[in-house]
């Protein structure tokens, strides 16, 4: 049975956020609001949950997934970055961006890209996500909650509930409408960063000179 948690958008109840994190830690597939659109999430280390997440989204192992992290303190555990990369990441996070980076050995092969050995990294600027991550044991795997037959991603918890109540273990709703746009995705597995999807994150400031070659899906 799907559990439905309604939380306050600005002051999310710690009890509910801990319960949500506990469910995810135990293998739940959850739909949560973010600073872009709704995302499907599960625990990084749960093989069965990751496989179910891919089936629900309708994606193969060749499409990138993202890691949701509370801040950049865990960056070294999941991605290989140099000083230049770290400074730019620090300048734009938290925010509605996903950076595709070379994965470390700490990232299970089943969630990294099979040929590029890379992984997406996100640090969302969203109080509900941050409150859930506070109680999560490690990073979460995430992907935009947009099904194969949909032209746009889900933006609110009630719509997710109506469409996927029997497919998910948990739906978190904060009563707000999320952005229509997914994250802006930047591939930095080569020497220079390349924007592969223009989304909710503005390409201003340190990102203004970055090249754009849109073809990303995450």
């Amino acid at each position: 049975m799907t559990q439905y948690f309604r939380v306050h958008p600005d002051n999310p109840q710690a009890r509910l956020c801990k319960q949500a994190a506990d469910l995810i830690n135990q293998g739940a597939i959850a739909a949560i609001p973010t600073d872009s659109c709704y995302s499907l999430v599960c625990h990084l280390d749960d093989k069965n949950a990751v496989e179910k997440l891919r089936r629900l989204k309708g994606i193969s192992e060749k499409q990138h997934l993202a890691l949701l992290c509370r801040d950049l303190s865990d960056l070294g555990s999941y991605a290989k970055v140099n000083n230049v990369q770290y400074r730019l990441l620090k300048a734009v996070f938290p925010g509605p961006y996903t950076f595709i980076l070379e994965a470390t050995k700490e990232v299970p092969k089943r969630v990294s890209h099979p040929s590029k050995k890379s992984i997406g990294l996100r640090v969302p600027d969203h109080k509900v996500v941050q409150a859930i991550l506070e109680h999560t044991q490690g990073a979460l795997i995430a992907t935009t909650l947009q099904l194969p037959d949909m032209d746009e991603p889900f933006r609110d918890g009630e719509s997710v509930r109506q469409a996927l109540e029997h497919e998910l273990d948990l739906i978190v709703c904060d009563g707000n409408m999320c952005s229509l746009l997914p994250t802006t995705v930047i591939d930095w597995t080569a020497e220079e960063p390349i924007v592969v999807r223009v989304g909710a994150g503005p390409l201003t400031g340190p990102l203004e000179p970055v090249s754009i070659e849109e073809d990303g899906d995450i």
Side-chain angles (χ1 to χ4, degrees), residues 60-186:
S60 71
E61 294 180 354
K62 295 182 179 181
Q63 290 173 280
H64 276 100
L65 297 171
L67 293 179
L68 287 185
C69 299
R70 190 178 181 194
D71 53 41
L72 291 179
S73 62
D74 293 329
L75 177 62
S77 298
Y78 303 121
K80 299 177 182 179
V81 297
N82 57 37
N83 290 336
V84 173
Q85 290 171 318
Y86 183 81
R87 285 196 294 270
L88 191 145
L89 293 174
K90 188 175 180 180
V92 302
F93 280 141
Y97 301 91
T98 300
F99 279 83
I100 298 174
L101 302 164
E102 183 181 356
T104 67
K105 293 182 179 180
E106 297 297 318
V107 178
K109 292 182 179 179
R110 64 179 178 272
V111 298
S112 61
H113 193 281
S115 60
K116 297 180 179 179
K117 312 301 181 187
S118 51
I119 190 71
L121 184 81
R122 282 201 64 190
V123 182
D125 185 15
H126 195 280
K127 292 182 179 180
V128 174
V129 182
Q130 289 288 337
I132 292 173
L133 287 171
E134 184 177 350
H135 301 286
T136 302
Q137 298 168 1
L140 299 183
I141 284 290
T143 186
T144 301
L145 184 42
Q146 182 173 347
L147 304 183
D149 59 346
M150 295 176 60
D151 295 328
E152 298 176 349
F154 283 100
R155 301 178 62 194
D156 66 283
E158 187 56 39
S159 296
V160 177
R161 187 179 192 179
Q162 292 175 8
L164 297 171
E165 185 170 15
H166 302 294
E167 303 290 338
L168 302 174
D169 302 302
L170 171 66
I171 299 169
V172 178
C173 176
D174 65 0
N176 285 340
M177 292 289 288
C178 292
S179 170
L180 181 62
L181 299 174
T183 58
T184 292
V185 179
I186 301 169

Side-chain angles (χ1 to χ4, degrees), residues 47-62:
K47 179 181 179 181
N48 292 333
V50 173
E51 289 177 351
K52 182 179 178 181
L53 180 147
R54 287 188 186 275
R55 288 197 301 270
L56 283 171
K57 178 71 182 285
I59 57 175
S60 71
E61 294 180 354
K62 295 182 179 181

Side-chain angles (χ1 to χ4, degrees), residues 24 30-34 37-41 68 129 132 140 170 172 178:
I24 296 170
I32 64 172
T34 74
C37 47
Y38 255 75
S39 286
L40 276 178
V41 301
L68 287 185
V129 182
I132 292 173
L140 299 183
L170 171 66
V172 178
C178 292

Side-chain angles (χ1 to χ4, degrees), residues 8-50:
H8 194 281
D10 299 317
N11 297 290
Q13 301 91 319
R15 174 182 58 84
L16 290 177
C17 291
K18 184 179 185 306
Q19 288 180 12
D22 289 343
L23 288 170
I24 296 170
N25 289 334
Q26 295 163 15
I29 303 290
I32 64 172
T34 74
D35 52 351
S36 56
C37 47
Y38 255 75
S39 286
L40 276 178
V41 301
C42 68
H43 199 279
L44 168 64
D45 295 326
D46 195 309
K47 179 181 179 181
N48 292 333
V50 173

